Amino acid sequence: MDIKKLQTLVVDALEDVKGQDIMLFDTTHLTSLFDRIAVVSGTSNRQTKALAASVRDKVKEAGGDVVGLEGEDTGEWVLVDLGDMIVHIMQPAIRQYYRLEEIWGEKPVKLGAAKRKSTPEAAEAAEPKTKSKHLAANQDQPEAKPVRERKTATKATAAKTVAAKKPAAKKAPVGKVVKVAPSKSEIAAVEATKAKPPKRTPKAAPAAAEPVKKVIKRVAKKVAE
């Protein structure tokens, strides 16, 4: 059987039983034993067994060969050997532990590419569906015209408008002396100096009395004529 047809049958069989996280990998570059590997999760032992049975029955109905089926006793990990393709049906805990995707997952195959157009499911999906005119959602809607929105003012423009509204600060006239009140520390220093007693200056020694100059007047005697 063609590998593309086989992988399509397997994916359809797994989806019929609600298999979770279906992943398909191309292994032709890793081994010559098989060309594809499919990994799928089942939530319980019953579901894993049902998934394996669905794959087996669908492949046999299409004329394919089922080489072997292993793990049905426990249902934790069921392996379906289809010759060119191996299907691993695992419970989530077992799948997370063994991580087969890291071993075989270099070339993943998209599930959309796995489904060929020849399958009835794909042909049904490709057919255009007729729209019911009774539903308002299916009726043709008129083209919406673009609405011009008003641009909101940015922060920069808002700041400019606020600055323009504020009155300008008055500038002190040039040439005038502005009296500044003394600070508290200066006032306290002045009061402290006033409270101190005045310094006593030493008295100067009295000046020595100057000797009184005696003036002796000489009287000239008249000579007798």
Side-chain angles (χ1 to χ4, degrees), residues 163-171:
K165 290 181 180 180
K166 288 184 178 180
K170 294 182 179 181
K171 295 182 179 179

Side-chain angles (χ1 to χ4, degrees), residues 36-59:
R36 296 287 187 276
I37 274 187
V39 184
V40 63
S41 297
T43 56
S44 63
N45 297 350
R46 183 178 295 178
Q47 189 181 13
T48 55
K49 294 177 183 180
L51 288 166
S54 177
V55 172
R56 177 192 61 200
D57 296 341
K58 202 150 193 172
V59 171

Side-chain angles (χ1 to χ4, degrees), residues 42-50 52 69-79 89-91 94 98:
T43 56
S44 63
N45 297 350
R46 183 178 295 178
Q47 189 181 13
T48 55
K49 294 177 183 180
L69 191 65
E70 299 177 4
E72 279 188 306
D73 298 335
T74 59
E76 293 180 352
W77 182 356
V78 184
L79 185 145
I89 305 168
M90 314 169 75
Q91 291 190 14
I94 302 298
Y98 286 97

Side-chain angles (χ1 to χ4, degrees), residues 193-201:
T193 53
K194 288 181 179 180
K196 289 181 180 180
K199 293 181 180 180
R200 296 179 180 180
T201 55

Side-chain angles (χ1 to χ4, degrees), residues 169-187:
K170 294 182 179 181
K171 295 182 179 179
V174 181
K176 291 185 178 181
V177 179
V178 179
K179 293 183 179 180
V180 181
S183 61
K184 293 181 180 181
S185 59
E186 294 178 352
I187 295 172

Side-chain angles (χ1 to χ4, degrees), residues 3-216:
I3 188 62
K4 292 184 179 180
K5 184 177 181 181
L6 181 61
Q7 69 185 14
T8 301
L9 288 172
V10 171
V11 172
D12 290 341
L14 296 175
E15 288 181 346
D16 290 344
V17 194
K18 307 298 181 183
Q20 298 180 359
D21 298 331
I22 302 172
M23 300 189 75
L24 191 63
F25 304 106
D26 184 355
T27 59
T28 53
H29 64 293
L30 297 175
T31 180
S32 59
L33 298 176
F34 42 84
D35 297 336
R36 296 287 187 276
I37 274 187
V39 184
V40 63
S41 297
T43 56
S44 63
N45 297 350
R46 183 178 295 178
Q47 189 181 13
T48 55
K49 294 177 183 180
L51 288 166
S54 177
V55 172
R56 177 192 61 200
D57 296 341
K58 202 150 193 172
V59 171
K60 283 186 176 180
E61 289 176 2
D65 297 329
V66 179
V67 178
L69 191 65
E70 299 177 4
E72 279 188 306
D73 298 335
T74 59
E76 293 180 352
W77 182 356
V78 184
L79 185 145
V80 184
D81 187 356
L82 304 175
D84 293 337
M85 186 171 181
I86 305 296
V87 183
H88 295 275
I89 305 168
M90 314 169 75
Q91 291 190 14
I94 302 298
R95 182 174 180 177
Q96 187 176 5
Y97 179 78
Y98 286 97
R99 297 181 180 180
L100 297 181
E101 293 88 347
E102 296 181 2
I103 302 173
W104 303 103
E106 291 185 9
K107 289 186 178 181
V109 178
K110 293 182 180 180
L111 298 182
K115 288 198 171 187
R116 305 179 64 184
K117 294 181 180 179
S118 59
T119 58
E121 292 85 355
E124 184 180 352
E127 291 180 359
K129 296 181 181 179
T130 57
K131 294 182 180 180
S132 176
K133 294 184 179 180
H134 298 286
L135 297 176
N138 293 332
Q139 295 179 2
D140 296 333
Q141 300 293 335
E143 295 182 0
K145 296 181 180 180
V147 179
R148 295 182 179 178
E149 298 181 356
R150 295 181 179 179
K151 295 182 178 179
T152 57
T154 59
K155 293 182 179 181
T157 55
K160 288 182 179 179
T161 54
V162 172
K165 290 181 180 180
K166 288 184 178 180
K170 294 182 179 181
K171 295 182 179 179
V174 181
K176 291 185 178 181
V177 179
V178 179
K179 293 183 179 180
V180 181
S183 61
K184 293 181 180 181
S185 59
E186 294 178 352
I187 295 172
V190 172
E191 290 178 356
T193 53
K194 288 181 179 180
K196 289 181 180 180
K199 293 181 180 180
R200 296 179 180 180
T201 55
K203 294 182 179 181
E210 294 181 358
V212 179
K213 294 181 180 181
K214 294 181 180 182
V215 179
I216 300 173

